[in-house]
Amino acid sequence: MKIVHFSDLHLDTPFSWMGVSGSLARERRNAQRKVLERVTRIVIEEQADALFCGGDLYEHDLFTPDTGTFLRKLFAHLDPLPVFLAPGNHDWFGPGSLYATLDWSPNVHIFNEDSLTPVMLTDGLTLWGAGHRSPANTDGFLEHFRVDRSGTHLALFHGAEMGSLQFEGSDKKPHAPFREHQITASGLHHVFAGHYHRARQTALLTYPGNPDPLAFGEDGGRGVVIATIETMGVVSREIRNVAETTIADVSVDLTDASSRSDVLAAVEGALQQCTGVIRVFLTGELAPEVDLRLVDFDALSLPGIEAIQFQVRVKNAYDLDSIAREKTVRGEFVREVRRAGLPSETERRVLVTGLRALAGRRDLEVL
Amino acid sequence: MWIERLDATAFGPFHEQKLELGPGMNVVVGPNESGKSSWHGAIYAALCGLRRTKGSRRSDERDFIARHKPWNSSQWRVTAIIHTSGDRTIELRQNLANLVDCRATDLALGRDVSNEIMNGGSPDASKWLGLDRTSFRATACVRQADVLEVQRSPRVLQSALQRAAASVPADSTASEALIRLQEFEAEQIGSDRAPTRPLRQAQSKVERASDELREARNDHLDYVLLASQVNLARTVAEGAASRLRAGLAARAEVSARTLEERYDEVRRLSAKFKDMEPPRLSGPEDDLARQISAALDRFRRRPALPSPGPSSSESIRQAIATAERSSGGDIEMHPTVEMAWRSWWESSSALQRHGRVQPAEFPAPDAAGYTADELSDIAAEIAHAPQMRVATRGESAPAGLAVFLTLGVAILGLVAALLGSVIPGLLVFIASVAAAGTLHYNRKPSTVPTQESRDNSLVTRLEEQGLPLNAPAIRSLATAMRDYERAETDLLKWRESREALVLEDRRCQEELRQALRDRGHPVGQDQLTADALQAYQQACALRRDGAAQSGALRSELAAAELREGQYAAIVHELQAVEAELRRLAALAGIPIDPDAAMEFIAATLQGWENQRRLKLGELDTQQREWSRLEALLDGHAIEDLEVHASLARNVARAASVGVDEVEFTEFLNAFSAGSGQAQLDAAARADQEAREEMARLSERLRLRASSMKDVAAAEEALESARIGLNRLRDLAEVVRLTQKFMSSAADRAHRTIAPLIQATLSEHISVATHGRYVEALVDPESLEVRVKTTEGYWRSASALSHGTTEQIYLLLRVALAEHLVVAGECAPLILDEVTVHSDAQRTKAVLDTLLMLSLRRQVILFSQEVEVAEWARDNLDMSRDRLVALAELPV
């Protein structure tokens, strides 16, 4: 039995994190659909027996009717190959959800109960699935669960394995929590899950991760999982990258730049080989006399770059200690600002702004 | 810091030229074109170098390069040996041509210390002083051009010094910086009330984006709600359709079953009545049967014989006669008796009341038989004559006659009592005796005094009669006698009235007794009236009871008579029923024994009737089945019905495919109960309504979807707008903080600078102005100087003569340089032609001031004036000062 498992595509999600809006963001959302099309092509190419989705397929609060039509047609295209969908906390099963309102093709099976219900995949192989019916407060599906028949048992749901939560960052909420030992305790042989955006594979558990980037800083190793279920629930897996969007973090040191042109040239040089969506960290010590503004980057010519976001982490190369020793207004200003105990970034910006003003400059907005 | 030597390897007109200097006052003199200004520039360049830059240079830098870069050499290099605090000897090498080979070397250590003073890419020794090349030039390095500038407008220098006080690079004053911040804030941020400014525009953008997002979310929510409604409507429609299918299938099933049953029944009845005539239901026994049925009904409703009552009417009649015989006389007190009784009651009551008001009896005083009047006379007589006679006392004739008459009445009463009127007679007798007694007792002796007795025997008589012989005692006795006589009169009157009442009472009693006798009630002679009356009342009560008993018996008699009448009627009815039963039994041909009981006859007839009913029932069934067969066929052949049933079964089978079993069964039950068609109609209506509702909602959903806004795009637009707004808000906050700290720093710095500069100025101003001015004031912000004359007047330094102004501003530079330089260091003062506009006297004063200043710092003065050279020769201490004479440079 071979299945293709994915999760956390989050169709129709906003791309504010990427710093884009309008047509650029729309392109990203179209790219998400291409990812799903790519997933279905893999299903066909791999001659898989079923497609699993571990939830957060789309955003309930944001979806467009067009997305519903897209999903219905795409999965109908796989008919009669079964598609099993387990709603998550972002695409929870409700009366107005796409799951409930679309006229799905017969091959689509939606686990719309908040407790595990069985579906026979083949003789002796049972898939248990469950879905979220609200955006929060869903209990763990493995609580008080025990398989009621013989054979091999798989499960598909959207939930947080608590042992893995620590790798997901502090803002990740433990929806439908469970622990790995509950898998064997409940008689299951393997759980195909969704929720965590970082891929994770153990002998009992598979998180494929989000197949297309949803934030900067995501590492690789995410995508769809092509899993073969052997006897007694042993699963062999291959994870395949299906992302349409590539993201990268690039750091550009501006220490040697003595003018705006130097900065732009440095950035252009650093991004020559880059494609996709780039987050540029501007670092180093920027000469005080450089008049640099964010709008200057609009003039960059960067073929292959779909979106770019700048994170300014430069230090302005003032010898503040020396200035602070001056018996001038400038020295007094630096001393006062330093005494004020401002947040470091605010202090930096206030100091540079003031020093620029005292230097007779008019470029007072500090990056 | 002081400069020991300068090597101009290539600088301006110099080539491998050297300049040796002392730590004190250095006067470098030479004619025009001897290189004074070049050495001045070389010293500056050696100390401060030039800023490295890839961009364009500032105008002052461009001017410096144009002025001092060698014309005919690619090299441009100058080296200085300087001494700094801490006894360090530093070689400063400035390769100004390429700004690469520029370094500072600690000669004692042989170590490159350039990094301590790097400024703009090259070493700047003024940093050891706490200055930089710009501020150094503004304060400690005075060119000829600067002096000329002061002559034109002291405010220019003042501004330069302000910039130096504001910032070591001396680019801008604090006020200018603050104005620049304000302008930036106004242009690049603006207020949230200025519609054309970035902040307000960013806020508007956020507001618009928020509205857009709210609208998009509402659209989405509306869509989701509509979608759920469509979903629900679809479910309802599917349910309604399912129910309608079940209803139609049930109706088809019912129809099929009906036709099948019809066919089966036709087939069965046809087989039963094959070759038979239609059954008939009528005959001659119908009338007899009706009579028997009526007779049996009458029998069943016959009355039961009542039980005889407790007494017969005859016995009751006898009891009534007995009761009525015992009655006769009054049953209530007769009015005549009652009237008499009331009269007696009133008379006896009056008598009793009279008895309660009997006057009291007084004891008679011992007056020897004299009346009160007599005693009064005696008392008068005693009073007028001491000797009086008292006449003999005797009885009066009228009193004695009364006694006799009274006794006669008593005798008459006694006779009356003996003759029959016992009580009145006795009463009369007793009263008369009592009256006679009283009359006798009340007789008094009369006194008839004579003249003789009055004179002779009065005393004797009084003595004999035991009466007192004094008048007052006799008068007192007379008074007592008069009271006694009055009481006796009252008593007599009471007794007379009582006697009348007693007589009235007797009369009333007699009337009552007579009334009783008149009502036939015997009254004994000796029987008390009250007892007689009581006996009469008891007799009345007895008669009243007897009359009541007679009434009850009469009621009982009426009931007994009614009961006996009913009984007779029932007996008659039973006899009639029995006769009717016997008659009908005979008509039916049923033999009945004459002694047979009525109940037996009725049971026999009931059996006859039952038998006949069974027979009729069978006939009726046959007749109805025949009619049923006729109706079922309804003119069709039995084969036609078979075909109909088969077709209906096929239809029902097709209709039942896929229908819900439960609903199907419900409809079947409803059809059985007769409500099936109504429920089917309702299901059809529900199906129609559900389909219409779903179509309506689907159309709404389609329209909603066609006009929906993209929520994600709206969120992104809002986020983008918020980022822009937050950038401006952050910027506004940064600018606000910068302004705040800048103002505060300027205030603080000015407060610090002003007194120091003032003190330095005041220290030297008297010498520098030849005692014309004795004190100085400095505005801390503008650095405007005011000086005080010896007369005590304050004058603005800029309004003084050029020479004085130059000196004052020279001192101001020195003062500012002293202030700005870090502790432990002294900035060398490098002056080019600063006395050129002074007269001899003022020049000497300036030179004296500089010499005094050189005690604490190195002063390098370039001058072309002979007076200066002469002054130097006269005043310098060559152990620490130098006088350098420059020759005119070759062209």
Side-chain angles (χ1 to χ4, degrees):
Chain A
M1 178 85 181
K2 182 189 280 187
I3 62 104
V4 172
H5 175 50
F6 77 103
S7 70
D8 298 280
L9 184 54
H10 291 272
L11 289 169
D12 289 333
T13 191
F15 282 87
S16 305
W17 61 271
M18 201 180 269
V20 297
S21 59
S23 59
L24 284 176
R26 194 173 174 82
E27 280 179 27
R28 292 300 93 220
R29 283 191 276 280
N30 289 336
Q32 288 183 308
R33 292 189 182 185
K34 287 179 184 173
V35 168
L36 189 55
E37 288 169 348
R38 192 174 285 182
V39 171
T40 57
R41 280 200 299 276
I42 289 175
V43 170
I44 294 168
E45 289 163 6
E46 291 292 328
Q47 297 182 330
D49 298 302
L51 173 62
F52 289 3
C53 176
D56 286 0
L57 173 61
Y58 64 92
E59 293 283 348
H60 177 84
D61 294 334
L62 303 165
F63 73 78
T64 64
D66 190 69
T67 298
T69 306
F70 164 75
L71 287 173
R72 184 173 53 77
K73 282 188 175 179
L74 189 68
F75 291 148
H77 183 64
L78 292 176
D79 194 22
L81 185 137
V83 176
F84 295 99
L85 307 176
N89 58 300
H90 278 264
D91 56 348
W92 52 282
F93 185 92
S97 65
L98 292 178
Y99 293 125
T101 56
L102 286 185
D103 184 16
W104 296 97
S105 52
N107 62 316
V108 175
H109 182 94
I110 297 162
F111 290 107
N112 56 16
E113 298 293 327
D114 55 6
S115 59
L116 291 167
T117 56
V119 173
M120 289 292 291
L121 295 179
T122 61
D123 280 347
L125 179 60
T126 305
L127 173 65
W128 297 82
H132 290 242
R133 294 180 65 89
S134 64
N137 303 321
T138 300
D139 293 332
F141 297 117
L142 298 185
E143 292 292 327
H144 314 299
F145 170 73
R146 176 77 197 168
V147 299
D148 60 358
R149 63 200 71 185
S150 60
T152 301
H153 298 276
L154 307 176
L156 172 66
F157 57 78
H158 189 85
E161 200 287 305
M162 299 304 287
S164 308
L165 185 63
Q166 56 183 315
F167 304 112
E168 289 293 317
S170 59
D171 56 343
K172 198 67 179 175
K173 302 293 185 296
H175 292 282
F178 68 100
R179 293 205 173 266
E180 195 165 354
H181 68 80
Q182 289 179 289
I183 297 172
T184 47
S186 59
L188 293 169
H189 293 89
H190 198 89
V191 168
F192 291 95
H195 187 50
Y196 289 151
H197 292 184
R198 181 190 294 265
R200 185 179 177 222
Q201 295 179 28
T202 70
L204 299 172
L205 181 62
T206 299
Y207 279 106
N210 51 306
D212 204 50
L214 294 171
F216 280 118
E218 290 179 349
D219 56 11
R222 305 167 191 233
V224 295
V225 169
I226 302 164
T228 304
I229 293 92
E230 312 289 351
T231 54
M232 295 309 292
V234 174
V235 175
S236 58
R237 289 158 292 190
E238 172 198 349
I239 192 160
R240 192 171 295 180
N241 182 15
V242 289
E244 274 288 316
T245 305
T246 55
I247 58 171
D249 286 334
V250 175
S251 199
V252 180
D253 191 338
L254 303 181
T255 302
D256 291 333
S258 55
S259 69
R260 180 165 63 228
S261 302
D262 291 349
V263 173
L264 296 178
V267 171
E268 265 184 343
L271 299 182
Q272 278 301 315
Q273 303 302 318
C274 295
T275 58
V277 180
I278 308 296
R279 180 169 60 174
V280 177
F281 290 96
L282 301 174
T283 62
E285 291 198 357
L286 186 61
E289 59 272 18
V290 175
D291 176 7
L292 181 64
R293 304 174 195 188
L294 278 180
V295 292
D296 298 331
F297 296 113
D298 295 344
L300 287 174
S301 173
L302 300 167
I305 303 293
E306 294 165 351
I308 187 165
Q309 184 186 86
F310 288 95
Q311 297 278 321
V312 181
R313 296 183 179 175
V314 295
K315 293 179 181 175
N316 296 80
Y318 286 100
D319 185 354
L320 295 173
D321 291 336
S322 173
I323 294 172
R325 286 194 294 272
E326 290 178 6
K327 295 177 180 176
T328 59
V329 173
R330 189 171 80 148
E332 189 61 44
F333 170 74
V334 172
R335 290 194 295 276
E336 286 226 4
V337 173
R338 284 178 152 188
R339 276 198 302 267
L342 298 173
S344 59
E345 180 59 16
T346 305
E347 180 185 286
R348 181 186 75 84
R349 294 177 67 191
V350 169
L351 283 171
V352 174
T353 303
L355 292 175
R356 285 184 181 180
L358 282 169
R361 291 169 61 169
R362 297 193 174 277
D363 56 324
L364 298 182
E365 182 175 1
V366 180
L367 285 182
Chain B
M1 176 189 287
W2 67 279
I3 304 157
E4 179 186 338
R5 194 180 74 203
L6 208 67
D7 292 330
T9 308
F11 190 90
F14 303 136
H15 179 69
E16 300 295 346
Q17 297 279 320
K18 288 184 174 56
L19 182 63
E20 301 282 345
L21 299 168
M25 181 76 179
N26 296 275
V27 177
V28 182
V29 295
N32 286 335
E33 302 301 325
S34 61
K36 297 188 295 297
S37 294
S38 292
W39 279 117
H40 187 272
I43 293 170
Y44 171 77
L47 282 178
C48 301
L50 277 177
R51 184 172 63 95
R52 289 180 67 185
T53 176
K54 290 182 180 177
S56 60
R57 290 195 173 276
R58 296 193 300 261
S59 63
D60 59 327
E61 291 175 327
R62 288 197 300 272
D63 181 55
F64 184 88
I65 292 168
R67 184 182 293 269
H68 298 298
K69 190 173 181 182
W71 303 338
N72 52 3
S73 172
S74 59
Q75 286 193 323
W76 189 21
R77 182 180 297 172
V78 63
T79 303
I81 304 297
I82 66 170
H83 299 270
T84 67
S85 62
D87 292 331
R88 291 206 298 177
T89 303
I90 306 293
E91 180 194 73
L92 287 165
R93 183 187 298 271
Q94 303 281 8
N95 187 344
L96 302 171
N98 56 17
L99 296 174
V100 174
D101 185 20
C102 301
R103 65 171 61 90
T105 307
D106 186 325
L107 293 178
L109 301 175
R111 194 171 69 193
D112 189 338
V113 292
S114 305
N115 62 339
E116 294 181 15
I117 53 172
M118 289 304 289
N119 179 17
S122 61
D124 176 4
S126 65
K127 291 195 72 178
W128 277 316
L129 300 171
L131 304 174
D132 71 354
R133 56 178 68 95
T134 310
S135 57
F136 180 78
R137 189 161 62 183
T139 53
C141 191
V142 184
R143 298 171 298 166
Q144 191 174 1
D146 298 331
V147 176
L148 293 172
E149 189 68 30
V150 170
Q151 285 181 346
R152 283 197 295 272
S153 171
R155 291 189 183 282
V156 175
L157 175 62
Q158 195 174 305
S159 175
L161 293 177
Q162 282 177 44
R163 287 197 291 275
S167 167
V168 164
D171 296 316
S172 170
T173 67
S175 299
E176 288 168 350
L178 284 168
I179 290 169
R180 205 163 290 122
L181 284 166
Q182 287 169 2
E183 288 172 352
F184 176 81
E185 184 182 26
E187 291 169 7
Q188 303 298 322
I189 302 170
S191 93
D192 55 6
R193 291 183 296 278
T196 59
R197 293 304 177 196
L199 180 62
R200 180 60 239 171
Q201 289 180 340
Q203 287 173 335
S204 299
K205 193 174 179 185
V206 168
E207 288 162 7
R208 284 196 302 276
S210 295
D211 292 342
E212 290 275 335
L213 177 59
R214 193 179 309 110
E215 196 176 334
R217 280 180 175 157
N218 287 341
D219 282 358
H220 187 271
L221 201 62
D222 195 25
Y223 176 84
V224 170
L225 187 64
L226 265 175
S228 64
Q229 288 174 348
V230 169
N231 197 34
L232 181 63
R234 183 184 296 120
T235 305
V236 170
E238 287 171 358
S242 168
R243 184 164 176 79
L244 178 59
R245 284 197 304 275
L248 291 171
R251 187 173 68 177
E253 176 66 23
V254 168
S255 177
R257 286 181 187 178
T258 303
L259 287 173
E260 286 169 349
E261 287 168 1
R262 180 181 175 189
Y263 170 68
D264 289 345
E265 194 174 359
V266 166
R267 202 170 52 176
R268 181 178 60 78
L269 292 175
S270 296
K272 184 174 181 180
F273 292 107
K274 190 174 182 182
D275 304 327
M276 278 182 63
E277 286 296 317
R280 297 186 181 283
L281 185 62
S282 62
E285 289 181 333
D286 290 352
D287 184 55
L288 177 60
R290 279 193 295 275
Q291 289 185 49
I292 288 173
S293 178
L296 286 173
D297 186 52
R298 188 179 175 188
F299 168 75
R300 282 190 288 274
R301 289 188 286 103
R302 72 189 183 284
L305 272 177
S307 61
S311 303
S312 67
S313 58
E314 187 52 35
S315 64
I316 295 169
R317 278 191 208 96
Q318 289 172 358
I320 290 170
T322 303
E324 287 181 347
R325 273 197 301 275
S326 65
S327 64
D330 295 341
I331 60 173
E332 299 290 346
M333 184 182 284
H334 194 270
T336 57
V337 176
E338 186 174 1
M339 188 180 299
W341 171 67
R342 290 193 183 282
S343 298
W344 180 49
W345 174 264
E346 288 172 2
S347 67
S348 64
S349 297
L351 188 58
Q352 286 173 2
R353 285 194 300 275
H354 189 264
R356 286 193 292 272
V357 296
Q358 181 180 1
E361 291 186 14
F362 273 72
D366 187 7
Y370 292 104
T371 68
D373 292 340
E374 287 169 346
L375 288 171
S376 295
D377 292 344
I378 292 169
E381 203 171 331
I382 292 170
H384 294 293
Q387 298 291 323
M388 285 186 69
R389 285 179 298 192
V390 180
T392 306
R393 189 176 49 182
E395 293 180 352
S396 64
L401 182 60
V403 173
F404 281 114
L405 286 174
T406 305
L407 289 173
V409 173
I411 292 165
L412 285 172
L414 185 60
V415 171
L418 293 173
L419 288 176
S421 300
V422 179
I423 295 173
L426 286 175
L427 289 172
V428 170
F429 173 75
I430 293 166
S432 301
V433 171
T438 303
L439 288 171
H440 176 74
Y441 180 77
N442 286 338
R443 275 188 308 142
K444 297 177 179 69
S446 60
T447 59
V448 185
T450 67
Q451 193 63 38
E452 293 84 358
S453 64
R454 210 177 286 132
D455 295 336
N456 297 323
S457 63
L458 179 59
V459 173
T460 305
R461 196 178 38 176
L462 290 175
E463 287 175 347
E464 286 175 357
Q465 291 174 343
L467 295 175
L469 295 179
N470 61 61
I474 294 300
R475 275 197 293 274
S476 176
L477 186 59
T479 302
M481 193 62 197
R482 188 166 286 111
D483 291 341
Y484 169 74
E485 285 172 359
R486 195 179 297 120
E488 282 298 301
T489 303
D490 292 343
L491 186 60
L492 182 61
K493 287 179 182 174
W494 179 81
R495 282 177 179 148
E496 285 171 357
S497 61
R498 179 167 186 82
E499 187 176 339
L501 290 172
V502 169
L503 288 175
E504 177 61 17
D505 185 69
R506 282 178 187 155
R507 186 188 65 75
C508 289
Q509 285 194 57
E510 185 53 34
E511 281 181 8
L512 177 57
R513 296 169 76 93
Q514 186 56 47
L516 291 172
R517 286 190 204 100
D518 292 346
R519 294 310 303 163
H521 187 78
V523 179
Q525 195 65 33
D526 299 330
Q527 190 178 15
L528 293 175
T529 305
D531 293 343
L533 179 61
Q534 186 177 6
Y536 168 74
Q537 286 174 327
Q538 288 174 346
C540 285
L542 284 172
R543 282 191 290 276
R544 201 161 49 242
D545 292 345
Q549 187 180 8
S550 173
L553 287 170
R554 286 188 183 283
S555 298
E556 191 177 342
L557 174 62
E561 285 173 348
L562 178 62
R563 190 165 58 243
E564 286 169 359
Q566 289 173 341
Y567 186 83
I570 290 170
V571 168
H572 179 73
E573 170 66 11
L574 291 176
Q575 288 169 349
V577 169
E578 184 175 349
E580 180 68 0
L581 291 175
R582 284 183 184 279
R583 185 182 72 81
L584 292 172
L587 286 175
I590 302 170
I592 298 296
D593 190 271
D595 296 330
M598 180 168 58
E599 285 77 8
F600 175 75
I601 301 167
T604 304
L605 286 173
Q606 184 66 56
W608 182 87
E609 188 180 45
N610 290 344
Q611 285 296 321
R612 185 172 184 277
R613 191 171 291 146
L614 284 173
K615 197 185 326 176
L616 287 176
E618 289 173 2
L619 282 171
D620 182 59
T621 302
Q622 287 181 357
Q623 191 177 40
R624 279 190 281 108
E625 285 180 340
W626 182 269
S627 301
R628 172 80 179 154
L629 178 59
E630 292 290 310
L632 289 173
L633 283 169
D634 193 21
H636 293 94
I638 190 169
E639 292 77 13
D640 294 342
L641 295 182
E642 184 179 10
V643 171
H644 292 166
S646 175
L647 287 173
R649 171 51 57 198
N650 289 338
V651 169
R653 196 171 291 123
S656 66
V657 173
V659 301
D660 185 90
E661 278 295 324
V662 174
E663 289 178 332
F664 179 72
T665 306
E666 282 178 7
F667 269 106
L668 280 183
N669 293 336
F671 275 111
S672 299
S675 59
Q677 188 56 46
Q679 290 195 21
L680 184 58
D681 292 343
R685 284 194 301 276
D687 175 66
Q688 177 69 17
E689 289 169 1
R691 279 190 285 115
E692 288 173 359
E693 176 67 3
M694 194 177 77
R696 186 181 67 80
L697 288 171
S698 297
E699 179 60 14
R700 279 185 62 194
L701 184 65
R702 191 186 65 76
L703 289 173
R704 176 76 281 172
S706 67
S707 62
M708 272 178 72
K709 291 184 169 58
D710 189 333
V711 183
E715 280 194 4
E716 287 156 352
L718 176 59
E719 183 62 20
S720 174
R722 279 182 177 152
I723 288 171
L725 178 60
N726 289 340
R727 181 188 72 81
L728 283 172
R729 284 180 171 156
D730 288 349
L731 184 58
E733 178 64 7
V734 166
V735 171
R736 185 189 68 79
L737 287 170
T738 306
Q739 287 173 320
K740 174 188 153 193
F741 288 117
M742 186 75 75
S743 295
S744 173
D747 288 346
R748 188 187 292 266
H750 292 152
R751 281 198 304 273
T752 307
I753 288 171
L756 293 173
I757 294 175
Q758 208 165 282
T760 305
L761 272 177
S762 297
E763 180 184 351
H764 301 295
I765 195 164
S766 180
V767 174
T769 60
H770 260 287
R772 186 173 298 171
Y773 302 103
V774 294
E775 196 175 344
L777 275 180
V778 179
D779 182 276
E781 187 173 354
S782 66
L783 294 180
E784 183 180 353
V785 181
R786 293 199 304 156
V787 291
K788 188 179 179 184
T789 64
T790 52
E791 293 82 17
Y793 298 110
W794 287 98
R795 299 186 64 185
S796 172
S798 59
L800 302 179
S801 67
H802 286 166
T804 305
T805 303
E806 275 179 34
Q807 291 165 46
I808 289 171
Y809 280 95
L810 178 61
L811 289 174
L812 185 60
R813 285 173 189 271
V814 172
L816 193 58
E818 279 193 354
H819 167 70
L820 294 178
V821 168
V822 296
E825 274 290 3
C826 280
L829 197 57
I830 306 163
L831 310 169
D832 186 14
E833 301 287 10
V834 295
T835 58
V836 70
H837 299 295
S838 302
D839 56 19
Q841 185 181 9
R842 188 73 48 78
T843 297
K844 183 177 183 309
V846 170
L847 293 172
D848 289 344
T849 302
L850 292 175
L851 183 61
M852 188 169 54
L853 290 173
S854 72
L855 295 176
R856 290 205 299 246
R857 64 176 47 73
Q858 183 184 38
V859 176
I860 305 171
L861 172 65
F862 293 91
S863 177
Q864 64 172 348
E865 295 175 79
V866 177
E867 295 91 333
V868 173
E870 290 172 353
W871 175 89
R873 275 190 289 272
D874 294 342
N875 292 282
L876 295 185
D877 174 3
M878 292 307 167
S879 64
R880 59 187 302 273
D881 304 328
R882 295 286 185 275
L883 173 61
V884 179
L886 297 176
E888 188 175 347
L889 292 172
V891 179

